[in-house]
Amino acid sequence: MPKFVYDFTEGNKDLKDLLGGKGANLAEMTNLGLPVPPGFTITTEACRHYLEHGNLPEGLPDEVNAHLADLESAMGKKLGQSDDPLLVSVRSGAKFSMPGMMETVLNVGLNDESVHGLAAQAGDERFAWDSYRRLIQMFGKTVLDIDGDLFEDAIDEVKRARGSDQDADLVADDFKELVGRFKGIVRESAGRDFPTDPREQMDLAVKAVFDSWNAPRAILYRRQERIPVDLGTAVNICSMVFGNMGLDSGTGVAFTRDPASGQQGIYGDYLQNAQGEDVVAGIRNTVPLKDLERIDKASYDRLLDIMETLENHYRDMCDIEFTIERGKLWMLQTRVGKRTAAAAFRIACQLLDQGLIDVDEAARRVTGDQLAQLMFPRFASRVDGVRKLTRGMNASPGAAVGKVVFTSGRAVELAGRGEDVILVRRETNPDDLAGMVAARGVLTSRGGKTSHAAVVARGMGKTCVCGAEELDVDVKNGQFTAPGGVTVTEGDVISIDGSSGDVYLGEVPVEDSPVVRYFEGELSPGEDDDLVTAVDRVMRHADARAALKVRANSDNPEDSARARRFGAAGIGLCRTEHMFLGDRRRLIEELVLAGDGAARQAALDALEPLQKSDFEGIFEAMDGLPVTIRLIDPPLHEFLPDITELSVRVALAGDGADAKDRRLLEAVNRLHEQNPMLGLRGVRLGLVIPGLFGMQVRAIAEAAAARRRAGGDPRPEIMIPLVGAVQELEAVRDEARGILDEVRRATGVDVPALIGTMIELPRAALTAGQIAEAAEFFSFGTNDLTQTTWGFSRDDVEAAFFSRYLELGIFGVSPFETLDREGVGRLVRIAAEEGRRARPGIKLGICGEHGGDPDSVHFCHEVGLDYVSCSPFRIPVARLEAGRAAIAAADAPGGGDTR
């Protein structure tokens, strides 16, 4: 029978799959000899059994009984004992940190009898009754699913009767009254009495924590952070220590480095005479952790020693929760801390310099998504004509502009219409997660850098300003008031700067970030910008380790030049259809309307010099690097007027309709298709419309010859789209080779050009061995390959049912964002293997936007592709992930590059 319960002395930090992050780290701290309250952990396996079968696994109650008895023996008192009660906390703890998304219940074991024993032992009746009302409040919300506002309203009423708005002004009799009121709320809302049996309290709390794994906010958070749905959560049952026993007690959160900037120092928040969630909830404003030195120097010094021990042990920035009970320091949690993108790069290089990690590990510690965040624009250094409202805490950096909203639901609603919003709250709680995800940024008037809003926003890379205390936020009336009497209502535009904490009324202009300026070549590492220096160090190592090259998707010289500055190793996809837009659309109309071969050739002759000029500019920008040019792919009717608009125009004109409009309408009707994605496009166009592909190939060859004569080094690669059978490719290839020979003879310049194909149909992937005999390279067009594999049109289905599929877990993430490894990825793997078997030297790449997705880049490395191609802005992201993929592969058993 599997073991479902582990004492804190039995686990370690490497058992996160089984014990969850919190349980594994509590065990690790216990093993290190740090002051951890005794307790035990119920495993994630027990949770998964409970969620699957609806009941606890056989043997779990007996194991809990045994571990509880051991805990009672160690503590010298029993759970809920009337004269000296053992009280416990029941807390969630999944493998991956999910701050505030699942449940916690504190003070389990209190009832009408043991509250008197607690008061007698503590010598503090107020503390005991405060702890009891906290239990009923948390149990009611968490276990019995009672609206938390009912409890808060009752507290507010008692405070008003006391003539105060501060919890600290309440006395023991007030908390006794609240206990009575809270019991009434439970009875009325839940249809049952609050359970007074301590063991029943604990057992119900355990099940509530298990159930919270599938709470809506937990599901949303996992989807946002791409956390697997089937992990489950562990439950940690820990003997209580109390931070609400007076001014010599308190609770706090500490970071071994600044999670916002990465700078070394003492960072965190502390709250005297407080318990548990008071700090992270942000309901009461905290004091900086450094103030603890003045309040309790002995505990402060001990905490600093422990922080150093933990950072050196974990070799990373640690996030620590602690409680001081009457001058005694206790450690309640540690984990590798969530941090901003800038902090991630800085901390990785700091730890590298300290000798705690090597350069490979420094690259593992950062991600492409974090690098992308550093490339987002920031507010301009000079802000003119925009009113500054206040300054709060710079909790999570970035520049966010949007309309003010005051509720999570309103944020989701407006964002769903495509509007940018800023969620403004007094403080956030886990139920605000959907609004935080939807908003561009978050602004709160309460809380510090360790509050819920700050921790969650940093984890998501969301701009956040917390603790803007000068703002009076009135959620019910949909407005906030700033200093000077400025009133901001819902719908007004504000700008928040998560790097400085500044809040502005109106829209602040933005400018390129320093990291973008570094990639553009405008900033050099070491120029008084430690972030740019850190990014440069990691990028240089990633480039050195990478096996995958990174190319650009680019259709014009300007984008090509920028892609090269950003580190592109060539162009993986030049979409020639983008060259037929604007004024050139008229020439496509003439091609479609051509009544005979001579008219068709005239239209092609007019297009050819324009194409040649385009290619010359791109070859010049990418001199010495490969340029893969896809011949025209979309159906021709996409270049013609809209059928509805044209039909209305002709109908309204009647007999006076323009002759060209009539001919265009006839052509549009002739070319109209029920499913254009699978119609006359790609290679089929080249085979059906004589001269179309030939014109493009000639323009490529003549442009390359012109660049060679000018002293350049053009390296064209001609890609035939939408091939499904080798015979299609052979026909176009033979025509192309003939034209290349003609241009060589006419110009006296030999410009070799590879001829290959785009693999974007399942049949092409499954017959890749045959196609490779005629193709010198494959480029996987994973956008269309995803559509044709799944059997849906992206434009039609994303709005129609993707959100429902994500909710049901059919998709963990959209297959257009991250490559579907099991389906599309399997086709890519088959094609790569068969292609290399038939033509060992064949070049393999990917040119869908998956080429810039971190997870997809890792897959491409695993399959052994030669390059990925993505939009210019994503090139640094793909470069970083290519290096990280090589490092990860070398770490794996039998790892290493297999190319």
Side-chain angles (χ1 to χ4, degrees), residues 700-714 716 739-753:
I700 293 168
E702 291 183 349
R707 282 299 307 148
R708 182 64 58 85
R709 286 195 300 268
D713 181 18
I739 293 170
L740 292 172
D741 285 342
E742 287 178 21
V743 174
R744 178 180 55 79
R745 290 194 299 269
T747 62
V749 178
D750 184 20
V751 182

Side-chain angles (χ1 to χ4, degrees), residues 358-417:
D358 61 21
V359 67
D360 274 356
E361 182 63 23
R364 292 188 197 98
R365 295 282 178 91
V366 298
T367 69
D369 286 336
Q370 289 170 330
L371 180 60
Q373 291 173 28
L374 296 180
M375 296 174 68
F376 292 155
R378 65 177 189 175
F379 287 141
S381 52
R382 288 192 58 185
V383 180
D384 298 322
V386 181
R387 180 167 184 170
K388 180 177 172 179
L389 295 175
T390 188
R391 170 172 284 191
M393 292 186 185
N394 52 335
S396 183
V401 179
K403 293 181 177 179
V404 169
V405 295
F406 292 91
T407 66
S408 177
R410 186 66 170 155
V412 172
E413 178 187 349
L414 292 187
R417 299 180 197 164

